[in-house]
Structure formats: C-alpha cells, structure tokens
Amino acid sequence: MSDLPRYEYVKLADTIAADITSGRLPQGAALPGERAMTELYGVSIGTVRRAVAELRKRELVATLPAKGTYVIGVPQARPDTQTDDEPTD
C-alpha cells in the first residue's frame, strides 16, 4: 500500500503540518495567501485550496473570511511510555 502515489494536496498538507509541528509556523501564525502558496510550492491554486481544507479537517488551521488562514493547533505527538513523574528503579 505504501507504493501508491499520494495526491499533491496531501503532500502539501503534510509539508505545512510538518512546519507547524517543527514550530516554523507557530500557533497564531498566518499562512501565506493562496496565490503566494502557489508560487512558493509550485502547485495550482486548486491544490492549495484542497491542502488548506485538509489542514482544517485535521484541525490545524482555521480560515477567517477576508482575514486569512491561521494556525490553531499543533499535531499531537504519541505519548511516551514513561513520564517524568514516574519513579524509576
């Protein structure tokens, strides 16, 4: 199944999600506008729109009409098997 090609919009959404996870796009940061993203990532405006919709679906961004799209969440990392407050022997 890993041999299946991924859609361009999913690749773009994953790229932006990685920027959010790394802190390059912190919570509250505005994403570039649609036209700027088409030039930045070399994709069509339809791909940008679908990628942003995917990010909204993942609850990572919110779009405010006539204002822009902003980071509202950070992907949750898997919990560690041991927390800092657990005693170790």
Side-chain angles (χ1 to χ4, degrees):
M1 187 165 165
S2 63
D3 294 338
L4 295 175
R6 293 186 339 188
Y7 291 108
E8 285 298 313
Y9 79 92
V10 175
K11 291 179 190 177
L12 179 56
D14 289 346
T15 298
I16 296 169
D19 286 346
I20 293 169
T21 302
S22 72
R24 201 168 151 203
L25 284 171
Q27 191 165 0
L31 267 56
E34 290 179 344
R35 292 187 195 277
M37 282 198 279
T38 62
E39 293 178 17
L40 182 64
Y41 296 107
V43 296
S44 71
I45 198 159
T47 299
V48 169
R49 287 178 179 161
R50 289 187 73 182
V52 171
E54 177 67 21
L55 292 168
R56 279 195 303 264
K57 183 178 167 184
R58 297 180 193 182
E59 298 180 350
L60 298 178
V61 301
T63 302
L64 303 173
K67 298 285 184 189
T69 301
Y70 297 88
V71 176
I72 60 166
V74 176
Q76 297 298 315
R78 290 187 347 209
D80 292 339
T81 56
Q82 181 177 351
T83 62
D84 290 346
D85 29 1
E86 288 183 21
T88 57
D89 294 333

